[in-house]
Amino acid sequence: MSLDFYAAQSAFSDPGDLVSAYDGLPRDLRQLARIVRDLMIHRLEGELFGHAHPADRLHDDAETRYIDDVLRIVLARDPAPLTARRVPGDRFVGICRDFTLLHVSLLRHAGIPARLRSGFADYFGTTGFHSDHVVTEYWDEERGWLLADAQLADPEITAHWPADFDPMDVPRTRFLVAGEAWRAIREDGLDERTFGLHPPQDGPFFGERFVAGNIRLDLAALNKVETLLWDVWGEDEGEPGTPLPQGSRAFYDRVAPVVSGDVSFEAVRTLFAEDDVLRTPPTVTCYAPYNGTHLVTLRPAGARTSP
């Protein structure tokens, strides 16, 4: 039952009325990842491409939650088939979550169970730092659940990252899902300051409080609620970068094992359904980096929109 669940589209990954854009696409994991890579550009990659993102695209693309809307933007900028590599100026300007959600959408369309995983990668930027990141987790008939990073699918662009592994088989020692990151801090004594959006000297988005937020995002994604990374709900005590209260630490000590290791489908479904702190409400607070803080009501499961 769990494989059927993850092989079906969510309200976020469903191409909706643009499903015909998927006609004729390959079923191969690696080829689909490269298609994603050639349709998108990370908002921090402009220099790598010799390109400057127009300000309006940073603003507009930043709050595109749903794949049908992503496809609408991509095809409006260049109506060619999705297999055609876009020039930088015609790509969707996104982040890791957007690369992953489109990859997951294509895999689900091909009948391959897939889901987003929120956590921390050690192959970007500062040595020894675990950067906030989102990757694909897909089902392999022989090996079970494996990790893939569609953002690394173009070796010409990503060669400067210290990612000495197959991007379609990311070692779990190089990407820690949020629950594993929490346990690495709490149980193994890793420095919380080495987990976050950036190192402590660059801002407040690091440490236990940030990892706890990623646990909520990861649990939601395991339930196919694949929000923007700056959509926030549940526990929100204190300022970013400040210590969590002891009661909150104890709470996430209990939650982290549920979203770690060999995840139990029944456990993540039950926890998400029954816990008011963890379950995504219909309306969330969006802390969009370009458009300011505001409330957003999410589409209900199964909802589609017309062009």
Side-chain angles (χ1 to χ4, degrees):
M1 186 176 78
S2 64
L3 294 183
D4 291 340
F5 179 77
Y6 292 117
Q9 300 288 10
S10 69
F12 292 83
S13 70
D14 194 338
D17 295 315
L18 294 177
V19 67
S20 61
Y22 288 1
D23 291 349
L25 293 183
R27 295 176 53 84
D28 178 73
L29 170 88
R30 195 175 302 273
Q31 290 177 293
L32 293 175
R34 185 55 191 262
I35 288 171
V36 171
R37 176 68 262 194
D38 290 344
L39 295 174
M40 293 187 166
I41 181 171
H42 196 285
R43 66 188 53 197
L44 299 180
E45 287 179 340
E47 186 175 344
L48 295 177
F49 285 82
H51 172 74
H53 303 307
D56 62 328
R57 294 193 177 180
L58 288 172
H59 284 253
D60 296 342
D61 294 9
E63 288 196 58
T64 308
R65 288 172 177 76
Y66 307 101
I67 283 300
D68 61 338
D69 289 334
V70 171
L71 294 173
R72 200 162 287 119
I73 289 171
V74 168
L75 293 171
R77 292 174 185 168
D78 183 342
L82 298 184
T83 50
R85 177 184 174 94
R86 267 53 172 183
V87 299
D90 288 338
R91 297 189 186 196
F92 180 87
V93 183
I95 61 168
C96 54
R97 176 264 185 189
D98 305 310
F99 285 85
T100 300
L101 184 62
L102 182 55
H103 193 213
V104 165
S105 177
L106 296 176
L107 290 171
R108 288 173 177 169
H109 183 75
I112 300 171
R115 56 201 188 189
L116 278 71
R117 297 305 305 269
S118 182
F120 299 87
D122 73 351
Y123 46 86
F124 292 110
T126 307
T127 300
F129 189 76
H130 303 81
S131 299
D132 178 39
H133 198 43
V134 178
V135 300
T136 301
E137 191 170 48
Y138 67 96
W139 181 257
D140 180 89
E141 292 292 342
E142 295 182 357
R143 298 173 58 198
W145 289 106
L146 302 178
L147 300 176
D149 192 336
Q151 194 177 325
L152 299 181
D154 183 349
E156 293 183 8
I157 299 302
T158 57
H160 68 289
W161 298 120
D164 53 349
F165 50 80
D166 180 356
M168 298 300 102
D169 188 7
V170 178
R172 291 186 183 270
T173 55
R174 306 298 303 276
F175 178 85
L176 298 180
V177 297
E180 297 283 4
W182 178 268
R183 298 176 75 179
I185 295 168
R186 296 283 290 158
E187 299 173 15
D188 301 332
L190 267 65
D191 188 348
E192 66 167 318
R193 295 172 297 177
T194 65
F195 291 85
L197 181 62
H198 42 58
Q201 65 268 23
D202 296 330
F205 299 104
F206 69 91
E208 287 183 351
R209 185 178 296 279
F210 192 89
V211 176
N214 267 29
I215 289 176
R216 294 197 298 275
L217 288 170
D218 193 44
L219 178 64
L222 287 168
N223 283 273
K224 296 202 309 189
V225 179
E226 299 123 346
T227 66
L228 295 178
L229 302 191
W230 33 81
D231 287 341
V232 175
W233 66 91
E235 185 178 68
D236 191 25
E237 302 174 25
E239 294 296 320
T242 61
L244 277 173
Q246 187 55 41
S248 297
R249 288 178 173 175
F251 175 77
Y252 288 105
D253 284 344
R254 296 191 299 271
V255 174
V258 179
V259 291
S260 300
D262 294 327
V263 172
S264 163
F265 178 66
E266 292 76 14
V268 297
R269 295 289 282 161
T270 299
L271 182 61
F272 191 67
E274 295 181 353
D275 193 286
D276 291 338
V277 171
L278 300 171
R279 183 176 59 255
T280 311
T283 298
V284 298
T285 302
C286 178
Y287 292 90
Y290 297 98
N291 298 330
T293 302
H294 56 285
L295 297 177
V296 173
T297 298
L298 303 174
R299 291 182 191 171
R304 292 188 179 188
T305 59
S306 299

